[in-house]
Amino acid sequence: MNLYVIDLDTAREEIPRLKKLDKRVKVVCYWSAGTYEADRREADRDRGSYSFDSKTYLRSAMVEPMDDWPGETWLDVTDKRVWRANKKRMQFAKEIGCDAVDPDNVDHYLFKSKVKNTRKDAVAFVRYLVDQAHDLGLGVGLKNAVELIKDVPGVDFYVNEQCLSYDECGAYASGVAENKAVLAVEYCDAGKALGDPTQDPACACANARKNKINMLIKRADLGADRFACQEAIFAMGGVQSDDGRQSPRIAFGDDCKTKTQSDAVCKALFDV
């Protein structure tokens, strides 16, 4: 079975195209549930009977700007307007043919904030999202927030960014034991784009297989380039080092990480 995770705001056009290519394809639709995204405002105004002006509607729930993501603002997830806004998006997702949803940024409790949403608040919010999705016949995933895994057993799958970089992959053992899919991504330009350690692709894939999770390696901008660990085993050859010279291999530490600030890992994967 082929599965695609796509943005909710492109799904209305993309789902018919994907279904035409393969009727069995499953589509997971993404949006940020726990933040206000300025770039999503126009799309929220164009959802038919589920339309709303997210900037106006969510203004009272806005807390503070999200670090490193211009135009995105954390929301107070105890505010029921946030709950209702996400219900509208789920209803729209169902109407246009999404099979499941991937609501992001439910982990505000991990960050210092002038309005402190607690882990308990996050659990209540995610449980609401799960209930609403299931009422609509949609699958629903838990995005990152590994601390909540045991608190929200109703989720159908998990999505994680950089579980190797943050030593979180093992947290999904209980979900794997229940045959729930874990969809993970590591970024080949994590050092350059995010300031995080970049993973050795071969090592990352070995760890993914060990933890029985489905892993993609992509650029941080989430463009079309992808490397699926389950489709091949990658052995890195000569790539260009940070100073522009050819090197037989980027130096990765014993933990499979490198602090390289270049995009040499991505180039070795995709620019061939």
Side-chain angles (χ1 to χ4, degrees), residues 3-5 28 102 142-144 157-161 163 172 180-185 213-216 230:
L3 182 145
Y4 292 86
V5 181
V28 178
D102 173 25
L142 176 65
K143 182 67 165 285
N144 300 322
F157 59 93
Y158 305 96
V159 182
N160 187 286
E161 298 170 287
C163 71
Y172 294 102
K180 293 182 180 181
V182 181
L183 311 176
V185 60
I213 64 179
N214 298 283
M215 181 173 286
L216 291 179
Q230 290 184 307

Side-chain angles (χ1 to χ4, degrees), residues 234-245:
F234 181 80
M236 182 167 286
V239 297
Q240 194 174 63
S241 59
D242 289 348
D243 61 6
R245 296 178 300 175

Side-chain angles (χ1 to χ4, degrees), residues 30-37 40 66-67 69 72-77 82 86 102-111 117 122 125-126 129 141-145 148 159 161:
Y30 165 93
W31 70 89
S32 180
T35 66
Y36 164 72
E37 301 169 279
R40 205 174 293 279
M66 193 177 188
D67 289 343
W69 294 98
E72 199 159 350
T73 304
W74 284 109
L75 297 172
D76 177 0
V77 299
V82 178
N86 281 288
D102 173 25
D104 197 4
N105 293 314
V106 297
D107 53 359
H108 189 202
Y109 61 91
L110 292 175
F111 301 87
N117 282 155
F125 180 47
V126 175
L129 297 176
L142 176 65
K143 182 67 165 285
N144 300 322
L148 305 186
V159 182
E161 298 170 287

Side-chain angles (χ1 to χ4, degrees), residues 62-239:
M62 294 182 190
V63 176
E64 60 197 347
M66 193 177 188
D67 289 343
D68 301 323
W69 294 98
E72 199 159 350
T73 304
W74 284 109
L75 297 172
D76 177 0
V77 299
T78 65
D79 190 315
K80 293 303 186 286
R81 283 178 172 255
V82 178
W83 295 30
R84 291 190 288 269
N86 281 288
K87 180 178 180 179
K88 285 178 178 290
R89 289 172 179 157
M90 286 192 193
Q91 291 170 316
F92 176 72
K94 177 66 175 181
E95 183 176 89
I96 63 174
C98 303
D99 298 293
V101 293
D102 173 25
D104 197 4
N105 293 314
V106 297
D107 53 359
H108 189 202
Y109 61 91
L110 292 175
F111 301 87
K112 291 182 179 180
S113 171
K114 60 184 179 182
V115 176
K116 184 63 175 177
N117 282 155
T118 66
R119 174 173 166 171
K120 183 177 179 180
D121 296 331
V123 169
F125 180 47
V126 175
R127 286 179 176 174
Y128 170 81
L129 297 176
V130 170
D131 289 344
Q132 294 304 312
H134 289 170
D135 285 349
L136 290 166
L138 294 167
V140 58
L142 176 65
K143 182 67 165 285
N144 300 322
V146 296
E147 302 82 10
L148 305 186
I149 290 174
K150 293 183 179 179
D151 297 315
V152 288
V155 298
D156 303 294
F157 59 93
Y158 305 96
V159 182
N160 187 286
E161 298 170 287
Q162 299 178 273
C163 71
L164 287 175
S165 295
Y166 293 109
D167 298 318
E168 294 177 341
C169 295
Y172 294 102
S174 60
V176 170
E178 296 174 0
N179 293 317
K180 293 182 180 181
V182 181
L183 311 176
V185 60
E186 291 287 335
Y187 299 120
C188 55
D189 55 352
K192 181 179 181 180
L194 305 171
D196 295 329
T198 300
Q199 297 287 333
D200 175 350
C203 188
C205 289
N207 275 279
R209 289 191 291 273
K210 176 183 176 181
N211 289 286
K212 298 181 180 180
I213 64 179
N214 298 283
M215 181 173 286
L216 291 179
I217 299 174
K218 294 180 66 66
R219 288 187 166 97
D221 64 7
L222 299 177
D225 288 333
R226 59 184 285 279
F227 178 85
C229 287
Q230 290 184 307
E231 294 177 2
I233 297 177
F234 181 80
M236 182 167 286
V239 297

